């Protein structure tokens, strides 16, 4: 039996500058695009997460090995590249029931903690709009940086904002915000500032952190913008869920 037949296939996605980190494990390059500064490889080995000076290596969605740069701006470029080019059939790559349960738990938290007869909620990084299937008495708006995701969410009947609409949202517009499996993707400080800006006073933000990635960085930004952590839920299924109040 060839090695390829028995070991799960994964694709390594790396910035060219970090190539040497994974070169020992590379089986064969499948694509190199020097213009966009990325290398892709087929990878056939055990799964692993590693921390190496200059980057971290993360097993993602059981199909990718991501070589993530330490620098957040660079990391963001890699996440955008991955979602633009490879996560084109998102719902077939994830367990949608699992994500929907995570979203439902977040919406339940928002409903319990927000004391208002009206509930306007933003699903930040809404993906394909799974929250449209959740049980919630208020109105859910979606926003995603990825155009294909926004289109898929719209098709589910979600009220989806385009980038311009998101950035021009007025102060204190939402009672609550949820971010399900989105805050690990190198969120920018301007985006965190905007999220705090559009949240009402006493409003609630709830987010989980995939593999705890970027948790400390986002917590530092949120506390800088005067959000307080009101609860931290250790959840075996969804990682750490943080609840913040403005
Ligand atoms: C792993 S998916 C999660 C989708 C959905 N929330 C779920 O639980 O199924 C992460 C989504 O967040 C979006 N995202 C990541 N960073 C973002 C940002 N800075 N602004 C808006 N959307 C972002 C990605 O495009 C992607 O669709």
């Amino acid at each position: 039996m060839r090695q390829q037949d028995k070991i799960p296939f994964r694709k390594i996605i790396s910035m060219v500058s970090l190539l040497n980190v994974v070169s020992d494990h590379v089986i064969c390059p499948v694509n190199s695009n020097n213009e966009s500064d990325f290398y892709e490889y087929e990878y056939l080995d055990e799964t692993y997460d590693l921390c190496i000076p200059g980057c971290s290596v993360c097993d993602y969605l059981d199909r990718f090995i991501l070589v993530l740069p330490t620098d957040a701006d660079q990391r963001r470029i890699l996440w955008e590249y991955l979602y633009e080019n490879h996560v084109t059939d998102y719902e077939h790559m994830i367990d949608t029931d699992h994500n929907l349960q995570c979203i439902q738990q977040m919406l339940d938290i928002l409903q319990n903690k927000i004391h208002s007869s009206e509930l306007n909620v933003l699903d930040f990084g809404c993906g394909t709009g799974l929250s449209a299937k959740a049980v919630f008495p208020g109105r859910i708006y979606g926003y995603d940086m990825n155009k294909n995701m926004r289109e898929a969410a719209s098709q589910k009947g979600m009220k989806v904002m385009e980038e311009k609409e998101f950035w021009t949202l007025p102060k204190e517009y939402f009672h609550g915000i949820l971010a399900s499996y989105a805050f690990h993707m190198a969120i920018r400080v301007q985006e965190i500032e905007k999220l705090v800006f559009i949240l009402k006073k006493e409003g609630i933000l709830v987010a989980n952190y995939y593999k705890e990635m970027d948790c400390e960085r986002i917590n530092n930004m949120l506390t800088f913008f005067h959000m307080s952590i009101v609860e931290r839920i250790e959840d075996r299924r969804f990682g750490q869920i943080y609840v913040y109040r403005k």
Side-chain angles (χ1 to χ4, degrees), residues 20 29 45 53 67 71 108 116 129 178 197 199 201 208 229 241 243:
N20 56 341
D45 205 340
V67 184
D71 179 78
D108 292 346
S116 163
L178 73 106
F197 178 79
L199 195 58
K201 283 202 182 85
N208 70 332
I229 299 170
I241 300 178
V243 184

Side-chain angles (χ1 to χ4, degrees), residues 11-68:
K11 193 187 277 280
I12 294 183
I13 314 256
S14 162
M15 315 277 278
V16 169
S17 54
L18 295 172
L19 262 185
N20 56 341
V21 172
V22 288
S23 58
D24 284 352
H25 304 279
V26 166
I27 305 294
C28 77
V30 292
N31 179 27
S32 68
N33 182 346
N34 287 319
E35 275 171 30
S36 62
D37 218 25
F38 291 99
Y39 258 67
E40 297 175 13
Y41 299 94
E42 287 179 3
Y43 173 82
L44 303 158
D45 205 340
E46 287 171 16
T47 67
Y48 66 118
D49 292 319
L50 280 177
C51 204
I52 300 171
C55 72
S56 59
V57 180
C58 156
D59 193 348
Y60 191 62
L61 299 181
D62 293 334
R63 328 166 169 242
F64 303 106
I65 303 287
L66 304 183
V67 184
L68 292 165

Side-chain angles (χ1 to χ4, degrees), residues 76 83 90 99 124-125 127 130 144-145 149 180-181 187 191:
R76 169 66 167 252
Y83 269 73
Y90 178 68
N99 284 41
F124 179 78
L130 290 175
D144 201 287
M145 67 178 176
M149 292 293 194
S180 159
Y181 290 102
I187 307 300
E191 291 164 334

Side-chain angles (χ1 to χ4, degrees), residues 10-243:
R10 274 164 171 71
K11 193 187 277 280
I12 294 183
I13 314 256
S14 162
M15 315 277 278
V16 169
S17 54
L18 295 172
L19 262 185
N20 56 341
V21 172
V22 288
S23 58
D24 284 352
H25 304 279
V26 166
I27 305 294
C28 77
V30 292
N31 179 27
S32 68
N33 182 346
N34 287 319
E35 275 171 30
S36 62
D37 218 25
F38 291 99
Y39 258 67
E40 297 175 13
Y41 299 94
E42 287 179 3
Y43 173 82
L44 303 158
D45 205 340
E46 287 171 16
T47 67
Y48 66 118
D49 292 319
L50 280 177
C51 204
I52 300 171
C55 72
S56 59
V57 180
C58 156
D59 193 348
Y60 191 62
L61 299 181
D62 293 334
R63 328 166 169 242
F64 303 106
I65 303 287
L66 304 183
V67 184
L68 292 165
T70 308
D71 179 78
D73 292 334
Q74 296 261 304
R75 221 162 45 237
R76 169 66 167 252
I77 294 169
L78 191 137
W79 281 116
E80 285 185 19
Y81 173 80
L82 177 77
Y83 269 73
E84 281 294 322
N85 295 283
H86 295 291
V87 188
T88 45
D89 196 5
Y90 178 68
E91 290 198 7
H92 287 106
M93 293 183 162
I94 61 157
D95 175 352
T96 50
D97 287 343
H98 171 97
N99 284 41
L100 186 52
Q101 281 165 24
C102 176
I103 289 165
Q104 187 65 61
Q105 182 168 340
M106 290 179 170
L107 287 170
D108 292 346
I109 292 170
L110 291 176
Q111 196 184 337
N112 289 334
K113 297 222 182 274
I114 299 167
H115 307 293
S116 163
S117 53
E118 204 194 354
L119 282 173
N120 264 356
V121 162
L122 172 68
D123 180 353
F124 179 78
C126 64
T128 53
L130 290 175
S131 59
K133 294 183 180 169
V135 180
F136 187 65
R139 179 128 205 215
I140 303 173
Y141 296 78
Y143 173 64
D144 201 287
M145 67 178 176
N146 183 291
K147 190 168 173 289
N148 298 331
M149 292 293 194
R150 291 200 298 271
E151 274 170 22
S154 267
Q155 278 169 18
K156 284 206 181 59
M158 178 174 250
K159 167 90 184 90
V160 181
M161 275 173 279
E162 292 298 311
E163 256 186 274
K164 193 170 168 206
E165 285 175 272
F166 172 74
W167 285 106
T168 52
L169 276 166
K171 197 172 178 189
E172 298 178 10
Y173 192 76
F174 290 107
H175 299 90
I177 298 173
L178 73 106
S180 159
Y181 290 102
F183 270 9
H184 59 283
M185 289 175 63
I187 307 300
R188 296 195 172 114
V189 66
Q190 296 88 337
E191 291 164 334
I192 294 293
E193 186 177 21
K194 182 71 187 178
L195 290 179
V196 176
F197 178 79
I198 59 181
L199 195 58
K200 290 189 190 293
K201 283 202 182 85
E202 304 289 312
I204 299 287
L205 163 67
V206 56
N208 70 332
Y209 291 90
Y210 175 77
K211 297 189 178 182
E212 292 183 37
M213 281 162 74
D214 264 8
C215 182
E216 198 182 333
R217 194 176 73 90
I218 303 264
N219 277 338
N220 286 340
M221 291 195 266
L222 284 168
T223 45
F224 179 82
F225 293 118
H226 310 295
M227 295 287 289
S228 43
I229 299 170
V230 289
E231 204 174 339
R232 201 187 80 166
I233 305 158
E234 289 285 350
D235 192 298
R236 216 170 19 89
R237 293 162 303 163
F238 312 127
Q240 289 184 346
I241 300 178
Y242 275 74
V243 184

